[in-house]
């Protein structure tokens, strides 16, 4: 590690994490963006000396946090678009409405088979749109556990709907 990077890491790491924590509202994401910032500093191709390392680090960290926000927003929009495409039906068609109602009954039946924490995490995410962090705080469990509950619920519902002849 070049001396300048090492001294910048020691000098500005905590400061950047605190700044990004306030900006992003998530300490883990802030630590990840800070780490990526220092990796960008290390990966610089030019051998030019950075005149203002603190300003360079803040600009890089800000840009990376903006990129993270955009990726997250795009991912959420994609999820909503997928749900919209899957859920768009011509309400004037009785057969499609009956099929949709059957799918909802099957989904409710599959959800009823889940444990309460698993069902609750799934509904908070998919129906109320809560983030994993919000769900973890509400339920008093870790974010990893929230993710496991949601994944397990989705797998369970997919398997059950397929087994019952519904769409997966």
């Amino acid at each position: 590690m070049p001396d300048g990077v090492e001294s910048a890491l020691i000098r500005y790491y905590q400061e950047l994490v605190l700044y990004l924590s306030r900006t992003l509202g998530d300490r883990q994401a802030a630590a990840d963006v800070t780490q990526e910032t220092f990796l960008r500093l290390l990966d610089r191709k030019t051998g030019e000396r950075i005149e203002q390392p603190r300003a360079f680090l803040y600009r890089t960290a800000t840009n990376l946090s903006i990129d993270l926000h955009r990726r997250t927003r795009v991912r959420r929009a994609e999820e909503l678009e997928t749900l919209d495409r899957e859920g768009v039906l011509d309400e004037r068609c009785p057969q499609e409405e009956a099929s949709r109602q059957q799918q909802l009954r099957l989904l409710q039946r599959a959800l009823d088979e889940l444990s309460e924490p698993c069902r609750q995490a799934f509904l908070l995410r998919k129906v109320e749109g809560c983030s994993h962090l919000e769900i973890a705080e509400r339920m008093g469990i870790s974010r990893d556990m929230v993710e496991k509950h949601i994944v397990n619920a989705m797998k369970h519902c997919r398997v059950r709907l397929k087994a019952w002849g519904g769409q997966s």
Side-chain angles (χ1 to χ4, degrees), residues 61-147:
T62 300
N63 289 342
L64 289 170
S65 65
I66 290 168
D67 290 346
L68 175 65
H69 177 72
R70 286 180 182 151
R71 282 192 310 270
T72 303
R73 191 175 65 214
V74 166
R75 191 175 314 124
R76 283 188 185 136
E78 286 173 353
E79 290 171 2
L80 291 174
E81 287 172 10
T82 301
L83 287 174
D84 286 345
R85 278 195 308 273
E86 291 173 354
V88 171
L89 296 174
D90 183 355
E91 292 182 15
R92 294 171 287 173
C93 179
Q95 293 85 0
E96 288 181 5
E97 181 62 24
S99 175
R100 187 174 75 76
Q101 290 299 321
Q102 175 67 17
Q103 286 293 314
L104 288 173
R105 282 191 295 277
L106 291 175
L107 179 59
Q108 183 61 54
R109 190 170 145 199
L111 289 172
D112 288 343
E113 294 176 347
L114 296 171
S115 69
E116 181 56 32
C118 191
R119 179 176 44 255
Q120 183 181 5
F122 177 81
L123 292 174
L124 285 171
R125 177 70 184 127
K126 297 298 182 181
V127 176
E128 294 187 27
C130 296
S131 70
H132 288 195
L133 180 60
E134 291 170 326
I135 297 167
E137 289 172 353
R138 272 181 153 176
M139 295 180 65
I141 59 177
S142 70
R143 285 176 54 182
D144 287 342
M145 197 68 220
V146 168
E147 188 170 320

